[in-house]
């Protein structure tokens, strides 16, 4: 099995799961997000946000591929680029941190270490840019309730499982933090688990295949 990380660009944006490709929960303030959805094509706003962030700040996401299939992604940016972040009761994000906006791993690939692999990819990128930490708003009651927008906030348990620590508790939306020096010290301990998970799987129908590209094995985390 081969797996690789690539940066989010306007080309790879098309490999996000369709609901995420059309979602502007984080990228716009609540009023603007409602207007974009009412207009019928929030995907255009998503594309505009990615384009602006890439031009002004740089890389703002990572995608993971397993045998050429998109299997998960994370997005991140300074909080100034994430209007929704100010609506959380545990805001603001610390001045020395970037905000990990959301994280998603296709359910069939869950448990194989892709989440940690994605977070470490973010950590490597941000460390090169002089950023000290990643922070995130987690959902401590993920899956509880019918509001579909709550799925845009990743489970707090996920962040805790990949090394984040709670810096501002809240019954629903704690703010969590990962020091980048901690993320970069992780050892490779998930390769066997990923291969075991994927050994009997036929993922062709999970998400659309990407264009053939040379694949190299990740160093793992």
């Amino acid at each position: 099995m081969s797996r690789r990380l690539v940066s989010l660009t306007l080309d790879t944006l098309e490999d996000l799961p369709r609901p995420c490709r059309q979602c502007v929960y984080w990228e716009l303030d609540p009023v603007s997000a409602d207007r974009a959805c009412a207009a019928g094509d929030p995907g255009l706003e998503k594309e505009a946000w990615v384009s602006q962030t890439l031009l002004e700040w740089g890389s703002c996401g990572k995608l993971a591929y397993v045998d050429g299939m998109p299997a998960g992604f994370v997005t991140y940016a300074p909080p100034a680029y994430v209007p929704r972040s100010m609506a959380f009761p545990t805001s603001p994000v610390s001045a020395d941190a970037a905000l990990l906006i959301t994280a998603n791993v296709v359910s069939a690939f869950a448990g194989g270490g892709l989440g940690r692999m994605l977070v470490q990819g973010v950590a490597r990128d941000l460390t090169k840019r002089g950023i000290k930490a990643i922070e995130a708003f987690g959902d401590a009651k993920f899956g509880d309730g019918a509001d579909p927008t709550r799925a845009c906030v990743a489970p707090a348990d996920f962040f805790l499982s990949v090394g984040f620590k709670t810096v501002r508790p809240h019954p629903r939306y704690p703010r969590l933090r990962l020091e980048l020096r901690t993320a970069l010290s992780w050892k490779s301990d998930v390769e066997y688990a990923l291969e075991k998970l994927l050994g009997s799987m036929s993922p062709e129908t999970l998400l659309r295949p990407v264009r053939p590209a040379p694949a190299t094995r990740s160093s793992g985390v």
Side-chain angles (χ1 to χ4, degrees), residues 46-211:
K46 184 90 165 190
E47 183 174 330
W49 182 88
V50 171
S51 178
Q52 179 183 7
T53 307
L54 286 171
L55 287 171
E56 297 180 356
W57 184 68
S59 180
C60 58
K62 297 290 182 184
L63 289 86
Y65 296 87
V66 176
D67 283 350
M69 302 296 299
F73 75 94
V74 293
T75 54
Y76 53 97
Y81 285 79
V82 191
R84 177 74 64 162
S85 66
M86 294 307 298
F88 281 79
T90 48
S91 65
V93 173
S94 301
D96 64 347
L99 178 64
L100 197 156
I101 302 171
T102 192
N104 180 283
V105 173
V106 175
S107 59
F109 294 99
L114 286 180
R116 181 170 288 230
M117 176 181 169
L118 285 160
V119 171
Q120 190 174 41
V122 175
R124 289 192 183 107
D125 177 40
L126 294 179
T127 296
K128 293 176 183 177
R129 296 153 79 173
I131 296 173
K132 303 297 184 183
I134 312 169
E135 293 191 358
F137 298 104
D139 188 347
K141 298 181 180 180
F142 186 82
D144 178 17
D147 183 355
T149 63
R150 289 176 178 171
C152 301
V153 185
D157 286 346
F158 164 73
F159 293 117
L160 293 171
S161 74
V162 296
F164 283 72
K165 306 296 182 184
T166 301
V167 292
R168 188 170 179 187
H170 186 268
R172 182 81 200 218
Y173 297 117
R175 179 159 52 88
L176 305 103
R177 180 180 173 95
L178 177 65
E179 302 293 338
L180 293 186
R181 64 177 180 272
T182 300
L184 294 177
S185 70
W186 288 332
K187 303 297 183 180
S188 176
D189 61 357
V190 300
E191 197 72 19
Y192 173 75
L194 182 66
E195 291 183 356
K196 183 177 179 181
L197 173 71
L198 299 177
S200 60
M201 189 175 294
S202 297
E204 289 83 358
T205 60
L206 293 174
L207 291 171
R208 72 174 181 85
V210 297
R211 295 181 295 275

